[in-house]
Amino acid sequence: MLEEVDHWLATRSWSVTDRPLHRILAAKQRTGQSVSVVLPALNEEETVGDIVAIIRHDLMQQAPLVDEIVVVDSGSTDRTSEIAARAGARVVHRDDILPRIPAVPGKGEVLWRSLLVTSGDIVCFIDADLKEFSADFVSGIVGPLLTEPGVDLVKAMYDRPLGTELNSLASGKTAGQGGRVTELMARPLLNMHWPQLAGFVQPLGGEYAARRSLLEQLPFPVGYGVELGMLVDALHLVGLDALAQVDVGVRKHRHQDGQALGRMAAAIYRTAQLRLARGHLIRPSLTQFERGEDGFEPRTYSVDTEERPPMAEIAEYAARRVA
């Protein structure tokens, strides 16, 4: 590991316990910064309500850390929107944001559009499928942005047990077994091509917070490559010392099957490839196989290749800021 990364781990990797909530609140009052929490959601009726309710109770009603909670629904067919609104979030549909640019499927698309419907100086992204959610996920990653003027982006780090059916953080056997795409794709890519980022424990984690002034300057891959792309682009824009991570404990969520992970890995590789060379991928697709009645049948999926430009370049965003 690079000496620079060793130093970064010692100075920019913290625990949620390093910043008590009263200290974070004092820094918020002193600096006058506002905080928006965004939950990108697609068919998350089982979990989104609890997450919103906990943030609202713990970090709005009990302690005034969060100024707004926005759930951006990207086309749910269940009761996600209804449950999120009932729990206290403002719900916005992806297609209603910047309608002159037709929306495409993908998490990055939703995160990019959320910048137009939030107002916080600090924007905190939280995945909507988390189970046993704690408000520490928000306060932990927002804290350094309020107390450390030189920090622009903070990722959550945590243990990711592979499944409760394995019964086992207590045994220590599965604490690090979640995050399979991280270990098989993202971490090797980062270590080989961007070794300064080798210290991130969860580079693909969906829980992170950043200053709006940084986010609006970054391009957003529309799909699963958004987290890796954001880290790499932020490194080049603001430098390693402006990036940080905070240990918030354990993250439990719904796991995807192996084929879905394969598609995710392909999108992440494509995001890395673009940043390595801005080259042309002749065939941006991935073929996988499923056993059917007549043997293995190919299924070909397109790989996310589109990216949204920095939000600062969008006329509607600039007009909103002037207004």
Side-chain angles (χ1 to χ4, degrees), residues 1 5 8-9 12-14 154-160 175-184 186-188 190-191 196-207 231 240 244-249 251:
M1 187 176 290
V5 177
W8 180 83
L9 284 168
R12 287 290 187 257
S13 290
W14 296 294
V154 182
K155 297 277 294 188
M157 57 177 166
Y158 32 67
D159 290 313
R160 293 184 67 180
Q177 296 302 306
R180 290 160 286 174
V181 175
T182 293
E183 300 304 329
L184 296 174
R187 200 177 309 285
L190 292 175
N191 275 262
Q196 287 177 295
L197 298 174
F200 276 94
V201 175
Q202 297 292 352
L204 301 184
E207 291 68 48
L231 265 188
L240 181 61
Q245 60 184 352
V246 173
D247 187 349
V248 296
R251 182 188 198 269

Side-chain angles (χ1 to χ4, degrees), residues 26 28 44 121 136 153 163 179 193 208 211 238 241 248 271 280 298 301 304 315-316 319:
K28 183 176 191 287
E44 303 295 357
D121 302 302
D136 286 347
L153 185 150
H193 299 296
Y208 48 98
R211 301 190 192 281
V238 295
D241 202 48
V248 296
T271 300
H280 176 65
Y301 302 88
D304 296 320
E316 289 89 339

Side-chain angles (χ1 to χ4, degrees), residues 59-297:
L59 300 179
M60 295 183 83
Q61 297 171 342
Q62 297 291 104
L65 178 63
V66 173
D67 297 284
E68 64 175 347
I69 307 173
V70 178
V71 170
V72 183
D73 191 326
S74 57
S76 296
T77 56
D78 64 4
R79 297 170 60 238
T80 290
S81 291
E82 175 190 342
I83 291 172
R86 187 186 303 161
R90 176 161 59 93
V91 178
V92 185
H93 195 282
R94 175 200 62 198
D95 296 347
D96 294 333
I97 307 170
L98 200 60
R100 74 172 176 85
I101 300 177
V104 297
K107 179 183 179 183
E109 178 82 352
V110 173
L111 301 185
W112 181 71
R113 289 175 186 265
S114 75
L115 296 180
L116 261 170
V117 293
T118 54
S119 59
D121 302 302
I122 293 168
V123 182
C124 174
F125 298 120
I126 300 291
D127 280 350
D129 65 343
L130 301 188
K131 303 173 182 178
E132 300 179 29
F133 179 77
S134 165
D136 286 347
F137 274 76
V138 175
S139 60
I141 56 180
V142 167
L145 293 165
L146 291 168
T147 62
E148 307 288 336
V151 171
D152 289 334
L153 185 150
V154 182
K155 297 277 294 188
M157 57 177 166
Y158 32 67
D159 290 313
R160 293 184 67 180
L162 187 55
T164 53
E165 73 280 3
L166 296 176
N167 207 15
S168 68
L169 249 176
S171 69
K173 292 180 180 178
T174 60
Q177 296 302 306
R180 290 160 286 174
V181 175
T182 293
E183 300 304 329
L184 296 174
M185 175 60 72
R187 200 177 309 285
L189 280 172
L190 292 175
N191 275 262
M192 288 187 291
H193 299 296
W194 296 280
Q196 287 177 295
L197 298 174
F200 276 94
V201 175
Q202 297 292 352
L204 301 184
E207 291 68 48
Y208 48 98
R211 301 190 192 281
R212 177 177 294 273
S213 57
L214 171 62
L215 292 172
E216 66 187 13
Q217 297 181 69
L218 299 176
F220 276 61
V222 298
Y224 287 123
V226 63
E227 275 84 23
L228 183 133
M230 189 176 294
L231 265 188
V232 171
D233 293 338
L235 173 68
H236 290 302
L237 193 62
V238 295
L240 181 61
D241 202 48
L243 312 181
Q245 60 184 352
V246 173
D247 187 349
V248 296
V250 179
R251 182 188 198 269
K252 297 181 181 179
H253 66 119
R254 182 185 66 252
H255 291 280
Q256 301 194 56
D257 63 36
Q259 293 210 335
L261 296 179
R263 297 191 289 275
M264 186 185 302
I268 289 164
Y269 178 78
R270 172 60 170 169
T271 300
Q273 182 194 46
L274 286 172
R275 279 150 183 78
L276 284 168
R278 295 292 167 181
H280 176 65
L281 185 62
I282 295 174
R283 188 171 180 268
S285 61
L286 174 72
T287 298
Q288 297 176 317
F289 294 87
E290 297 177 7
R291 184 180 288 280
E293 293 182 2
D294 299 320
F296 286 105
E297 300 174 356

